[in-house]
Amino acid sequence: MDIKAIRADFPLLEQEVNGFPLVYLDSAATAQKPNRVIEAVNSYYRMDNANVHRGVHTIGTRATEQYENARDRVKQFIHAEHREEIIFTRGTTTAINLVASSYGSQHIQRDDEIVITQMEHHSNLIPWQQLSKRTGATLKYIPLESDGTISLAEVEKIVTHKTKIVAITQVSNVLGTINPIKEIAEIVHRHDAVLLVDGAQGVPHLQVDVQDLNCDFYAFSGHKMCAPTGIGVLYGKKALLEQMEPVEFGGEMIDFVDLYDSTWKDLPWKFEGGTPIIAGAIGLAAAIDYLTEIGLDQIALHERELVDYAIEQLKLIDGIDIYGPEHRAGLITFNIADVHPHDTATVLDAEGIAVRAGHHCAQPLMKWLGVTATARASFYLYNTKQDVDRFVAGLQKTKEFFTNVF
Ligand code: C6P
């Protein structure tokens, strides 16, 4: 991978922050956007801006073609079988809520079981908590092993004939754990339940093949994979989506409306009520083209090298706790002893280094870790070993600063 050329694609990275060249280590929160994506959105608004699926005019036809072409690009990217299986949403959160509201309300009743894990982001936890409260179904947690992984033996124990849905993240946004989705799918299907995968931290970094994973639903956000904010995807197996009722009603999603009853469009449009996120979908297609040309395998390899290099050096600094398993995705969650993670992030920011601090929308996981918050550095295709060096030097400075002050 030609990192120099890749960095030149991302205009935001060229700036100085607080007098230092920016080191952006917060891509798990949101990734930066390459010129390809910025230009695709820009070009749509400058030349092709019109509503979709409505007009017969030329610009409207162009907008519709680009929007529906984006659906085909997503289908190829995640290896879905049918284009109707790709529903555009606002992001991962909206996609998971759609399944919990629609599939959940139709299929889950009192005495059924919903299974998740304690490493879930709030977006893949609260919708199930709410569904369990609404229906009286039991919410069960697959326990975590001491290194922050889950064992298939525990999945076998927790999933029973009462289980109706299992919802699990592919990659933890805190621990970096990569879960064995294919094996979990096999257990879930043996019990006639369905599997939803939260792919928010998966799809930006790993080659995803939803047919090979054999998941029933897969949710992700564009903004973590170099696309604009406000666009995301729900993949669902056609047979399941066909039975599901829409959760948003109004324009775009209807077939015929009468005074006291209405009918819906076919898939995928019955789930896309209102004017869709046209520019977002076009930006997502550009991001897919960009990442595909570089190669997801190459990106994963590069992140792996950066994480290994960073961990090697962090281990040399006394008093740094690193959370998560040995084999992890491209992020490191940590704390410096006796320093609040917000203070760590503030000192790093003064050096032009952006990391995230807080509970990372995973409070039950913080509880399991026995902390209220952590700091997190997350890497992507545009990060370099020099970024890691600056980060490590910044941590050393943070430690010295707080040792001298207190
Ligand atoms: N995690 C992070 O800094 P939305 O906000 O809908 O695009 O994505 C929600 C979401 C769901 N699942 C996982 C595993 C996630 O990591 C996220 C978003 C960001 O870790 C923002 S909290």
Side-chain angles (χ1 to χ4, degrees), residues 264-296:
W264 321 136
K265 270 189 185 155
D266 290 335
L267 283 177
W269 304 291
K270 75 171 174 182
F271 291 113
E272 293 179 3
T275 297
I277 315 135
I278 307 165
I282 291 167
L284 177 60
I288 288 174
D289 289 345
Y290 182 76
L291 294 176
T292 309
E293 276 168 30
I294 292 169
L296 267 294

PDB file of all heavy atoms in Angstrom, residues 264-296:
ATOM      1  N   TRP A 264     -48.111  -1.476   0.323  1.00  0.00           N
ATOM      2  CA  TRP A 264     -46.703  -1.054   0.279  1.00  0.00           C
ATOM      3  C   TRP A 264     -46.039  -1.488  -1.020  1.00  0.00           C
ATOM      4  O   TRP A 264     -46.437  -2.473  -1.638  1.00  0.00           O
ATOM      5  CB  TRP A 264     -45.912  -1.640   1.454  1.00  0.00           C
ATOM      6  CG  TRP A 264     -46.633  -1.673   2.758  1.00  0.00           C
ATOM      7  CD1 TRP A 264     -46.669  -2.706   3.640  1.00  0.00           C
ATOM      8  CD2 TRP A 264     -47.404  -0.622   3.351  1.00  0.00           C
ATOM      9  NE1 TRP A 264     -47.413  -2.374   4.744  1.00  0.00           N
ATOM     10  CE2 TRP A 264     -47.890  -1.100   4.591  1.00  0.00           C
ATOM     11  CE3 TRP A 264     -47.753   0.677   2.966  1.00  0.00           C
ATOM     12  CZ2 TRP A 264     -48.690  -0.349   5.432  1.00  0.00           C
ATOM     13  CZ3 TRP A 264     -48.560   1.442   3.801  1.00  0.00           C
ATOM     14  CH2 TRP A 264     -49.008   0.938   5.014  1.00  0.00           C
ATOM     15  N   LYS A 265     -44.958  -0.771  -1.331  1.00  0.00           N
ATOM     16  CA  LYS A 265     -44.106  -1.167  -2.461  1.00  0.00           C
ATOM     17  C   LYS A 265     -43.411  -2.482  -2.126  1.00  0.00           C
ATOM     18  O   LYS A 265     -43.378  -2.906  -0.965  1.00  0.00           O
ATOM     19  CB  LYS A 265     -43.026  -0.100  -2.677  1.00  0.00           C
ATOM     20  CG  LYS A 265     -43.407   0.997  -3.621  1.00  0.00           C
ATOM     21  CD  LYS A 265     -42.171   1.842  -3.908  1.00  0.00           C
ATOM     22  CE  LYS A 265     -42.507   3.040  -4.757  1.00  0.00           C
ATOM     23  NZ  LYS A 265     -41.556   4.135  -4.576  1.00  0.00           N
ATOM     24  N   ASP A 266     -42.798  -3.071  -3.135  1.00  0.00           N
ATOM     25  CA  ASP A 266     -41.989  -4.275  -2.908  1.00  0.00           C
ATOM     26  C   ASP A 266     -40.698  -3.897  -2.202  1.00  0.00           C
ATOM     27  O   ASP A 266     -40.366  -2.720  -2.054  1.00  0.00           O
ATOM     28  CB  ASP A 266     -41.639  -4.914  -4.259  1.00  0.00           C
ATOM     29  CG  ASP A 266     -42.877  -5.526  -4.905  1.00  0.00           C
ATOM     30  OD1 ASP A 266     -43.813  -5.867  -4.169  1.00  0.00           O
ATOM     31  OD2 ASP A 266     -42.894  -5.635  -6.156  1.00  0.00           O
ATOM     32  N   LEU A 267     -39.936  -4.919  -1.860  1.00  0.00           N
ATOM     33  CA  LEU A 267     -38.583  -4.714  -1.340  1.00  0.00           C
ATOM     34  C   LEU A 267     -37.740  -4.040  -2.410  1.00  0.00           C
ATOM     35  O   LEU A 267     -37.926  -4.337  -3.591  1.00  0.00           O
ATOM     36  CB  LEU A 267     -37.922  -6.056  -1.031  1.00  0.00           C
ATOM     37  CG  LEU A 267     -38.338  -6.759   0.240  1.00  0.00           C
ATOM     38  CD1 LEU A 267     -37.613  -8.100   0.320  1.00  0.00           C
ATOM     39  CD2 LEU A 267     -38.033  -5.928   1.461  1.00  0.00           C
ATOM     40  N   PRO A 268     -36.770  -3.239  -2.079  1.00  0.00           N
ATOM     41  CA  PRO A 268     -36.400  -2.795  -0.740  1.00  0.00           C
ATOM     42  C   PRO A 268     -37.147  -1.548  -0.293  1.00  0.00           C
ATOM     43  O   PRO A 268     -37.029  -1.102   0.833  1.00  0.00           O
ATOM     44  CB  PRO A 268     -34.916  -2.473  -0.914  1.00  0.00           C
ATOM     45  CG  PRO A 268     -34.831  -1.971  -2.332  1.00  0.00           C
ATOM     46  CD  PRO A 268     -35.854  -2.753  -3.122  1.00  0.00           C
ATOM     47  N   TRP A 269     -37.956  -0.983  -1.229  1.00  0.00           N
ATOM     48  CA  TRP A 269     -38.476   0.377  -1.022  1.00  0.00           C
ATOM     49  C   TRP A 269     -39.509   0.458   0.094  1.00  0.00           C
ATOM     50  O   TRP A 269     -39.761   1.539   0.621  1.00  0.00           O
ATOM     51  CB  TRP A 269     -39.028   0.929  -2.347  1.00  0.00           C
ATOM     52  CG  TRP A 269     -37.977   0.886  -3.422  1.00  0.00           C
ATOM     53  CD1 TRP A 269     -36.846   1.653  -3.475  1.00  0.00           C
ATOM     54  CD2 TRP A 269     -37.931   0.008  -4.546  1.00  0.00           C
ATOM     55  NE1 TRP A 269     -36.100   1.306  -4.572  1.00  0.00           N
ATOM     56  CE2 TRP A 269     -36.727   0.303  -5.254  1.00  0.00           C
ATOM     57  CE3 TRP A 269     -38.763  -0.989  -5.028  1.00  0.00           C
ATOM     58  CZ2 TRP A 269     -36.360  -0.361  -6.412  1.00  0.00           C
ATOM     59  CZ3 TRP A 269     -38.400  -1.657  -6.189  1.00  0.00           C
ATOM     60  CH2 TRP A 269     -37.216  -1.345  -6.867  1.00  0.00           C
ATOM     61  N   LYS A 270     -40.135  -0.671   0.448  1.00  0.00           N
ATOM     62  CA  LYS A 270     -41.167  -0.566   1.505  1.00  0.00           C
ATOM     63  C   LYS A 270     -40.549  -0.141   2.836  1.00  0.00           C
ATOM     64  O   LYS A 270     -41.254   0.323   3.738  1.00  0.00           O
ATOM     65  CB  LYS A 270     -41.953  -1.877   1.647  1.00  0.00           C
ATOM     66  CG  LYS A 270     -41.232  -3.008   2.351  1.00  0.00           C
ATOM     67  CD  LYS A 270     -42.178  -4.183   2.638  1.00  0.00           C
ATOM     68  CE  LYS A 270     -41.413  -5.362   3.195  1.00  0.00           C
ATOM     69  NZ  LYS A 270     -42.214  -6.534   3.447  1.00  0.00           N
ATOM     70  N   PHE A 271     -39.211  -0.312   2.969  1.00  0.00           N
ATOM     71  CA  PHE A 271     -38.538   0.102   4.203  1.00  0.00           C
ATOM     72  C   PHE A 271     -37.858   1.467   4.067  1.00  0.00           C
ATOM     73  O   PHE A 271     -37.145   1.880   4.972  1.00  0.00           O
ATOM     74  CB  PHE A 271     -37.490  -0.945   4.611  1.00  0.00           C
ATOM     75  CG  PHE A 271     -38.091  -2.239   5.070  1.00  0.00           C
ATOM     76  CD1 PHE A 271     -37.927  -3.399   4.328  1.00  0.00           C
ATOM     77  CD2 PHE A 271     -38.833  -2.299   6.239  1.00  0.00           C
ATOM     78  CE1 PHE A 271     -38.475  -4.605   4.751  1.00  0.00           C
ATOM     79  CE2 PHE A 271     -39.392  -3.494   6.672  1.00  0.00           C
ATOM     80  CZ  PHE A 271     -39.219  -4.650   5.935  1.00  0.00           C
ATOM     81  N   GLU A 272     -38.050   2.144   2.936  1.00  0.00           N
ATOM     82  CA  GLU A 272     -37.363   3.426   2.733  1.00  0.00           C
ATOM     83  C   GLU A 272     -38.389   4.550   2.594  1.00  0.00           C
ATOM     84  O   GLU A 272     -38.507   5.182   1.534  1.00  0.00           O
ATOM     85  CB  GLU A 272     -36.425   3.340   1.518  1.00  0.00           C
ATOM     86  CG  GLU A 272     -35.261   2.378   1.749  1.00  0.00           C
ATOM     87  CD  GLU A 272     -34.314   2.239   0.557  1.00  0.00           C
ATOM     88  OE1 GLU A 272     -34.503   2.923  -0.476  1.00  0.00           O
ATOM     89  OE2 GLU A 272     -33.381   1.431   0.662  1.00  0.00           O
ATOM     90  N   GLY A 273     -39.143   4.791   3.667  1.00  0.00           N
ATOM     91  CA  GLY A 273     -40.172   5.829   3.653  1.00  0.00           C
ATOM     92  C   GLY A 273     -39.559   7.220   3.550  1.00  0.00           C
ATOM     93  O   GLY A 273     -38.505   7.479   4.121  1.00  0.00           O
ATOM     94  N   GLY A 274     -40.205   8.109   2.804  1.00  0.00           N
ATOM     95  CA  GLY A 274     -39.722   9.494   2.684  1.00  0.00           C
ATOM     96  C   GLY A 274     -38.608   9.612   1.656  1.00  0.00           C
ATOM     97  O   GLY A 274     -38.108   8.621   1.133  1.00  0.00           O
ATOM     98  N   THR A 275     -38.219  10.864   1.377  1.00  0.00           N
ATOM     99  CA  THR A 275     -37.110  11.089   0.433  1.00  0.00           C
ATOM    100  C   THR A 275     -35.856  10.435   0.998  1.00  0.00           C
ATOM    101  O   THR A 275     -35.473  10.715   2.125  1.00  0.00           O
ATOM    102  CB  THR A 275     -36.876  12.604   0.236  1.00  0.00           C
ATOM    103  OG1 THR A 275     -38.059  13.151  -0.349  1.00  0.00           O
ATOM    104  CG2 THR A 275     -35.681  12.874  -0.665  1.00  0.00           C
ATOM    105  N   PRO A 276     -35.223   9.552   0.250  1.00  0.00           N
ATOM    106  CA  PRO A 276     -34.073   8.844   0.819  1.00  0.00           C
ATOM    107  C   PRO A 276     -32.802   9.684   0.885  1.00  0.00           C
ATOM    108  O   PRO A 276     -32.778  10.832   0.428  1.00  0.00           O
ATOM    109  CB  PRO A 276     -33.909   7.647  -0.118  1.00  0.00           C
ATOM    110  CG  PRO A 276     -34.516   8.058  -1.398  1.00  0.00           C
ATOM    111  CD  PRO A 276     -35.561   9.085  -1.091  1.00  0.00           C
ATOM    112  N   ILE A 277     -31.752   9.071   1.400  1.00  0.00           N
ATOM    113  CA  ILE A 277     -30.475   9.761   1.612  1.00  0.00           C
ATOM    114  C   ILE A 277     -29.678   9.607   0.317  1.00  0.00           C
ATOM    115  O   ILE A 277     -28.745   8.806   0.221  1.00  0.00           O
ATOM    116  CB  ILE A 277     -29.748   9.125   2.813  1.00  0.00           C
ATOM    117  CG1 ILE A 277     -30.728   8.918   3.966  1.00  0.00           C
ATOM    118  CG2 ILE A 277     -28.572   9.970   3.274  1.00  0.00           C
ATOM    119  CD1 ILE A 277     -30.624   7.579   4.628  1.00  0.00           C
ATOM    120  N   ILE A 278     -30.057  10.395  -0.680  1.00  0.00           N
ATOM    121  CA  ILE A 278     -29.544  10.186  -2.041  1.00  0.00           C
ATOM    122  C   ILE A 278     -28.042  10.472  -2.120  1.00  0.00           C
ATOM    123  O   ILE A 278     -27.252   9.622  -2.553  1.00  0.00           O
ATOM    124  CB  ILE A 278     -30.313  11.075  -3.046  1.00  0.00           C
ATOM    125  CG1 ILE A 278     -31.827  10.860  -2.893  1.00  0.00           C
ATOM    126  CG2 ILE A 278     -29.860  10.787  -4.478  1.00  0.00           C
ATOM    127  CD1 ILE A 278     -32.692  11.921  -3.556  1.00  0.00           C
ATOM    128  N   ALA A 279     -27.649  11.657  -1.648  1.00  0.00           N
ATOM    129  CA  ALA A 279     -26.219  12.013  -1.728  1.00  0.00           C
ATOM    130  C   ALA A 279     -25.388  11.053  -0.889  1.00  0.00           C
ATOM    131  O   ALA A 279     -24.264  10.694  -1.268  1.00  0.00           O
ATOM    132  CB  ALA A 279     -26.018  13.449  -1.247  1.00  0.00           C
ATOM    133  N   GLY A 280     -25.939  10.627   0.246  1.00  0.00           N
ATOM    134  CA  GLY A 280     -25.227   9.696   1.120  1.00  0.00           C
ATOM    135  C   GLY A 280     -24.969   8.366   0.426  1.00  0.00           C
ATOM    136  O   GLY A 280     -23.877   7.802   0.493  1.00  0.00           O
ATOM    137  N   ALA A 281     -25.991   7.869  -0.271  1.00  0.00           N
ATOM    138  CA  ALA A 281     -25.845   6.585  -0.969  1.00  0.00           C
ATOM    139  C   ALA A 281     -24.812   6.709  -2.095  1.00  0.00           C
ATOM    140  O   ALA A 281     -23.981   5.805  -2.300  1.00  0.00           O
ATOM    141  CB  ALA A 281     -27.200   6.138  -1.522  1.00  0.00           C
ATOM    142  N   ILE A 282     -24.834   7.845  -2.783  1.00  0.00           N
ATOM    143  CA  ILE A 282     -23.858   8.061  -3.871  1.00  0.00           C
ATOM    144  C   ILE A 282     -22.442   8.141  -3.285  1.00  0.00           C
ATOM    145  O   ILE A 282     -21.487   7.573  -3.823  1.00  0.00           O
ATOM    146  CB  ILE A 282     -24.241   9.331  -4.678  1.00  0.00           C
ATOM    147  CG1 ILE A 282     -25.541   9.043  -5.455  1.00  0.00           C
ATOM    148  CG2 ILE A 282     -23.118   9.780  -5.605  1.00  0.00           C
ATOM    149  CD1 ILE A 282     -26.220  10.269  -6.045  1.00  0.00           C
ATOM    150  N   GLY A 283     -22.325   8.817  -2.142  1.00  0.00           N
ATOM    151  CA  GLY A 283     -21.029   8.889  -1.449  1.00  0.00           C
ATOM    152  C   GLY A 283     -20.577   7.518  -0.976  1.00  0.00           C
ATOM    153  O   GLY A 283     -19.383   7.183  -1.028  1.00  0.00           O
ATOM    154  N   LEU A 284     -21.529   6.703  -0.536  1.00  0.00           N
ATOM    155  CA  LEU A 284     -21.186   5.345  -0.066  1.00  0.00           C
ATOM    156  C   LEU A 284     -20.641   4.497  -1.224  1.00  0.00           C
ATOM    157  O   LEU A 284     -19.660   3.764  -1.065  1.00  0.00           O
ATOM    158  CB  LEU A 284     -22.421   4.681   0.566  1.00  0.00           C
ATOM    159  CG  LEU A 284     -22.251   3.238   1.039  1.00  0.00           C
ATOM    160  CD1 LEU A 284     -21.157   3.122   2.108  1.00  0.00           C
ATOM    161  CD2 LEU A 284     -23.576   2.708   1.624  1.00  0.00           C
ATOM    162  N   ALA A 285     -21.272   4.636  -2.376  1.00  0.00           N
ATOM    163  CA  ALA A 285     -20.789   3.876  -3.549  1.00  0.00           C
ATOM    164  C   ALA A 285     -19.361   4.297  -3.895  1.00  0.00           C
ATOM    165  O   ALA A 285     -18.508   3.449  -4.214  1.00  0.00           O
ATOM    166  CB  ALA A 285     -21.722   4.108  -4.741  1.00  0.00           C
ATOM    167  N   ALA A 286     -19.082   5.602  -3.783  1.00  0.00           N
ATOM    168  CA  ALA A 286     -17.717   6.086  -4.090  1.00  0.00           C
ATOM    169  C   ALA A 286     -16.728   5.532  -3.056  1.00  0.00           C
ATOM    170  O   ALA A 286     -15.604   5.152  -3.404  1.00  0.00           O
ATOM    171  CB  ALA A 286     -17.695   7.611  -4.102  1.00  0.00           C
ATOM    172  N   ALA A 287     -17.145   5.467  -1.798  1.00  0.00           N
ATOM    173  CA  ALA A 287     -16.264   4.930  -0.739  1.00  0.00           C
ATOM    174  C   ALA A 287     -15.984   3.450  -0.990  1.00  0.00           C
ATOM    175  O   ALA A 287     -14.852   2.978  -0.824  1.00  0.00           O
ATOM    176  CB  ALA A 287     -16.909   5.129   0.633  1.00  0.00           C
ATOM    177  N   ILE A 288     -17.014   2.733  -1.414  1.00  0.00           N
ATOM    178  CA  ILE A 288     -16.839   1.298  -1.715  1.00  0.00           C
ATOM    179  C   ILE A 288     -15.832   1.127  -2.852  1.00  0.00           C
ATOM    180  O   ILE A 288     -14.920   0.301  -2.767  1.00  0.00           O
ATOM    181  CB  ILE A 288     -18.202   0.648  -2.061  1.00  0.00           C
ATOM    182  CG1 ILE A 288     -19.042   0.517  -0.787  1.00  0.00           C
ATOM    183  CG2 ILE A 288     -18.015  -0.709  -2.744  1.00  0.00           C
ATOM    184  CD1 ILE A 288     -20.456   0.031  -1.011  1.00  0.00           C
ATOM    185  N   ASP A 289     -15.976   1.938  -3.900  1.00  0.00           N
ATOM    186  CA  ASP A 289     -15.028   1.848  -5.019  1.00  0.00           C
ATOM    187  C   ASP A 289     -13.611   2.129  -4.534  1.00  0.00           C
ATOM    188  O   ASP A 289     -12.665   1.432  -4.894  1.00  0.00           O
ATOM    189  CB  ASP A 289     -15.402   2.854  -6.128  1.00  0.00           C
ATOM    190  CG  ASP A 289     -16.671   2.417  -6.855  1.00  0.00           C
ATOM    191  OD1 ASP A 289     -17.061   1.239  -6.703  1.00  0.00           O
ATOM    192  OD2 ASP A 289     -17.277   3.249  -7.548  1.00  0.00           O
ATOM    193  N   TYR A 290     -13.489   3.157  -3.715  1.00  0.00           N
ATOM    194  CA  TYR A 290     -12.166   3.555  -3.211  1.00  0.00           C
ATOM    195  C   TYR A 290     -11.524   2.433  -2.389  1.00  0.00           C
ATOM    196  O   TYR A 290     -10.385   2.021  -2.643  1.00  0.00           O
ATOM    197  CB  TYR A 290     -12.321   4.832  -2.371  1.00  0.00           C
ATOM    198  CG  TYR A 290     -11.010   5.355  -1.835  1.00  0.00           C
ATOM    199  CD1 TYR A 290     -10.113   6.030  -2.665  1.00  0.00           C
ATOM    200  CD2 TYR A 290     -10.649   5.153  -0.506  1.00  0.00           C
ATOM    201  CE1 TYR A 290      -8.891   6.492  -2.183  1.00  0.00           C
ATOM    202  CE2 TYR A 290      -9.430   5.609  -0.019  1.00  0.00           C
ATOM    203  CZ  TYR A 290      -8.563   6.280  -0.858  1.00  0.00           C
ATOM    204  OH  TYR A 290      -7.348   6.721  -0.383  1.00  0.00           O
ATOM    205  N   LEU A 291     -12.273   1.919  -1.415  1.00  0.00           N
ATOM    206  CA  LEU A 291     -11.724   0.868  -0.532  1.00  0.00           C
ATOM    207  C   LEU A 291     -11.443  -0.414  -1.313  1.00  0.00           C
ATOM    208  O   LEU A 291     -10.457  -1.101  -1.071  1.00  0.00           O
ATOM    209  CB  LEU A 291     -12.686   0.578   0.629  1.00  0.00           C
ATOM    210  CG  LEU A 291     -12.889   1.719   1.634  1.00  0.00           C
ATOM    211  CD1 LEU A 291     -13.930   1.337   2.678  1.00  0.00           C
ATOM    212  CD2 LEU A 291     -11.582   2.091   2.326  1.00  0.00           C
ATOM    213  N   THR A 292     -12.327  -0.724  -2.268  1.00  0.00           N
ATOM    214  CA  THR A 292     -12.155  -1.950  -3.051  1.00  0.00           C
ATOM    215  C   THR A 292     -10.890  -1.871  -3.904  1.00  0.00           C
ATOM    216  O   THR A 292     -10.159  -2.848  -4.035  1.00  0.00           O
ATOM    217  CB  THR A 292     -13.386  -2.190  -3.959  1.00  0.00           C
ATOM    218  OG1 THR A 292     -14.552  -2.093  -3.154  1.00  0.00           O
ATOM    219  CG2 THR A 292     -13.370  -3.567  -4.602  1.00  0.00           C
ATOM    220  N   GLU A 293     -10.646  -0.686  -4.479  1.00  0.00           N
ATOM    221  CA  GLU A 293      -9.438  -0.543  -5.310  1.00  0.00           C
ATOM    222  C   GLU A 293      -8.175  -0.731  -4.490  1.00  0.00           C
ATOM    223  O   GLU A 293      -7.197  -1.320  -4.945  1.00  0.00           O
ATOM    224  CB  GLU A 293      -9.424   0.821  -5.999  1.00  0.00           C
ATOM    225  CG  GLU A 293     -10.240   0.787  -7.278  1.00  0.00           C
ATOM    226  CD  GLU A 293     -10.496   2.164  -7.857  1.00  0.00           C
ATOM    227  OE1 GLU A 293      -9.650   3.075  -7.657  1.00  0.00           O
ATOM    228  OE2 GLU A 293     -11.543   2.344  -8.499  1.00  0.00           O
ATOM    229  N   ILE A 294      -8.187  -0.234  -3.238  1.00  0.00           N
ATOM    230  CA  ILE A 294      -7.001  -0.411  -2.380  1.00  0.00           C
ATOM    231  C   ILE A 294      -6.936  -1.861  -1.895  1.00  0.00           C
ATOM    232  O   ILE A 294      -5.863  -2.454  -1.825  1.00  0.00           O
ATOM    233  CB  ILE A 294      -7.041   0.585  -1.204  1.00  0.00           C
ATOM    234  CG1 ILE A 294      -6.853   1.996  -1.772  1.00  0.00           C
ATOM    235  CG2 ILE A 294      -5.965   0.273  -0.168  1.00  0.00           C
ATOM    236  CD1 ILE A 294      -7.117   3.086  -0.806  1.00  0.00           C
ATOM    237  N   GLY A 295      -8.093  -2.421  -1.569  1.00  0.00           N
ATOM    238  CA  GLY A 295      -8.152  -3.827  -1.144  1.00  0.00           C
ATOM    239  C   GLY A 295      -8.338  -3.945   0.364  1.00  0.00           C
ATOM    240  O   GLY A 295      -7.472  -3.511   1.126  1.00  0.00           O
ATOM    241  N   LEU A 296      -9.453  -4.531   0.770  1.00  0.00           N
ATOM    242  CA  LEU A 296      -9.744  -4.699   2.200  1.00  0.00           C
ATOM    243  C   LEU A 296      -8.677  -5.548   2.889  1.00  0.00           C
ATOM    244  O   LEU A 296      -8.325  -5.299   4.043  1.00  0.00           O
ATOM    245  CB  LEU A 296     -11.137  -5.330   2.385  1.00  0.00           C
ATOM    246  CG  LEU A 296     -12.344  -4.400   2.569  1.00  0.00           C
ATOM    247  CD1 LEU A 296     -12.262  -3.636   3.870  1.00  0.00           C
ATOM    248  CD2 LEU A 296     -12.542  -3.438   1.428  1.00  0.00           C
TER     249      LEU A 296
END
